[in-house]
Amino acid sequence: MALTETTVEDKIEVVGDHKHVQVRTATVIARDGTEISRSFHRHVLQCSTKSGDTWGNTDISGESTEVQAICNAVWTDAVKTAYQTAMDAAEI
């Protein structure tokens, strides 16, 4: 009886006006090739981050190449500016 554990990004979604990228990761446990358990973890990436009063690009270097490609495609300068403006307005 061999148990194996596999982790796979099984869902990547682009959501909302500000193009948040949601990544769902599945951890699959199998016994002799038959799945016996599956659990999920989800995280969300925003196009910009703020440190103090300064906006910067979100560090996506730790993400898979597929997630990086999606982020780079949808996070245009216009999307980043709109997100930063909305977040700054929400702080008031």
Side-chain angles (χ1 to χ4, degrees):
M1 281 202 271
L3 288 177
T4 58
E5 180 177 322
T6 307
T7 303
V8 60
E9 289 175 343
D10 68 336
K11 187 180 283 190
I12 303 169
E13 302 171 306
V14 178
V15 181
D17 294 337
H18 301 122
K19 309 297 185 205
H20 296 322
V21 176
Q22 296 185 123
V23 181
R24 185 175 81 174
T25 304
T27 302
V28 179
I29 307 295
R31 179 183 297 129
D32 297 326
T34 302
E35 182 178 318
I36 60 173
S37 174
R38 179 178 292 250
S39 61
F40 300 102
H41 171 78
R42 184 181 296 269
H43 67 281
V44 179
L45 301 165
Q46 292 91 9
C47 60
S48 298
T49 57
K50 190 171 185 181
S51 177
D53 290 332
T54 306
W55 283 99
N57 292 330
T58 298
D59 180 11
I60 56 173
S61 63
E63 301 296 329
S64 69
T65 55
E66 185 177 11
V67 170
Q68 289 180 32
I70 292 168
C71 292
N72 289 328
V74 299
W75 291 348
T76 63
D77 288 340
V79 167
K80 292 176 188 177
T81 299
Y83 176 70
Q84 293 167 3
T85 301
M87 293 302 98
D88 285 341
E91 288 181 3
I92 296 174

